């Protein structure tokens, strides 16, 4: 078998067959589905949830993960925070001529391991090869299908006093990627928080009533995520800055580079808005899971009636300022 991707690997001929057989089918174990151009899925519910995303992270390999793991966790998490259990994922690859077969195998193996861990099947895919210089190694697109949990979210029931909880420290993925690039003179031991969250989320929503809405604060960070929620569901929210967990390494990196940790990307965190009366029980459930051991209450819904959809931050010295969505981009190709 050739050791590097050539243009012929994307021509649909023998080399394409070898690539599918020796790389994708070997690790995805999807021989049955691979015989067809599309996967035929038995389904007993009309409530199907589907999402898609593309992954262009740079570098492809980073502390705590790689583009393959990220492609699976990102899609799994998009389904989970929508209130769905992931069922199946498709994967499309755009590969640059000259890309290492060894690296591709590592990426595909990583995807297979994460999918197995998440309990989701990779059931269909596509491969395209582009000329050298037309891409940056490999890009991945994933589409995920899920089935709604029995316990439904209640975003339209958000009311004054509802509690905002973050499942752990913010900013770890953003700092890990910045450090891995070595472009900004930043060197840390920080690893990405990249992780599949749906087992954790399913346990939370199964055991706690009154979960209004969930989001994973990826690109744009915690602040942008909450601004979007405030605007989408028309409520005002106030965060307590001193309650938001930010690791010292993230603080240090932001001090050096002039970034705000509230806008750094996360790939293994979820923010919950929950009915106030359920907040204590919810914290107990969240903290009992390894992915939520460092969870914190970080704020409350301030108002809903005639609210303009604004996010505020109360500082440790008692002042309050409004937060807006990220303007521009702190770091391109973060996921």
């Amino acid at each position: 078998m050739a050791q590097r991707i050539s243009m012929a690997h994307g021509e649909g001929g023998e080399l394409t067959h070898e690539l599918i057989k020796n790389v994708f089918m070997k690790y995805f174990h999807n021989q049955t589905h691979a015989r067809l151009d599309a996967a035929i899925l038995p389904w007993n519910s009309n409530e199907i949830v589907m999402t898609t995303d593309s992954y262009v992270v740079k570098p492809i390999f980073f502390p705590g993960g790689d583009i393959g793991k990220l492609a699976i966790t990102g899609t799994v998490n998009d389904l989970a925070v929508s209130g769905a259990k992931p069922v199946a994922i498709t994967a499309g690859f755009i590969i640059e001529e000259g890309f290492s077969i060894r690296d591709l195998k590592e990426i595909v193996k990583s995807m297979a391991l994460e999918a197995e861990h998440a309990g989701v099947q990779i059931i269909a895919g596509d491969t395209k090869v582009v000329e050298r210089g037309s891409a940056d190694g490999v890009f991945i697109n994933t589409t995920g299908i899920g089935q709604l949990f029995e316990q439904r979210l209640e975003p339209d029931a958000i009311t004054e006093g509802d509690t905002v909880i973050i499942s752990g420290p913010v900013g770890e993925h953003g700092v890990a990627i910045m450090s891995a690039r070595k472009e900004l003179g930043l060197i840390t031991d920080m690893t990405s928080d990249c992780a599949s969250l749906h087992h954790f989320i399913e346990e939370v929503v199964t055991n706690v009533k009154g979960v209004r809405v969930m989001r994973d604060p990826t690109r744009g960070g915690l602040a942008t995520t909450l601004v979007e929620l405030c605007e989408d569901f028309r409520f005002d929210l106030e965060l307590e800055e001193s309650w938001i967990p930010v690791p010292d390494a993230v603080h240090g990196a932001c001090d050096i580079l002039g970034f705000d940790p509230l806008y750094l990307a996360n790939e293994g965190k979820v923010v919950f808005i929950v009915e106030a009366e359920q907040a204590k029980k919810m914290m107990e459930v969240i903290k009992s899971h390894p992915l939520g051991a460092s969870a914190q209450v970080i704020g409350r819904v301030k108002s809903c009636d005639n609210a303009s959809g604004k996010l505020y931050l109360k500082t440790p010295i008692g002042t309050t300022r409004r937060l807006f969505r990220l303007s521009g981009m702190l770091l391109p190709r973060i996921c």
Side-chain angles (χ1 to χ4, degrees), residues 62 93 100 175 313:
F62 52 84
F93 294 79
S100 163
V175 171
L313 183 71

Side-chain angles (χ1 to χ4, degrees), residues 58 178-186 331:
K58 183 179 180 180
M178 284 190 282
S179 179
R181 287 188 188 177
K182 300 177 182 175
E183 294 175 346
L184 303 173
L186 179 68
L331 197 68

Side-chain angles (χ1 to χ4, degrees), residues 88-132:
I89 289 177
T90 70
F93 294 79
I94 298 174
I95 310 171
E96 183 180 14
E97 179 185 19
F99 190 67
S100 163
I101 292 283
R102 183 181 62 182
D103 286 350
L104 182 61
K105 282 187 175 183
E106 289 301 313
I107 291 166
V108 173
K109 282 194 291 185
S110 179
M111 293 178 72
L113 286 172
E114 188 60 30
E116 182 180 2
H117 170 71
V120 60
Q121 286 189 306
I122 300 173
I123 49 86
D126 179 51
T127 304
K128 297 289 187 297
V129 177
V130 297
E131 297 91 342
R132 193 184 301 270

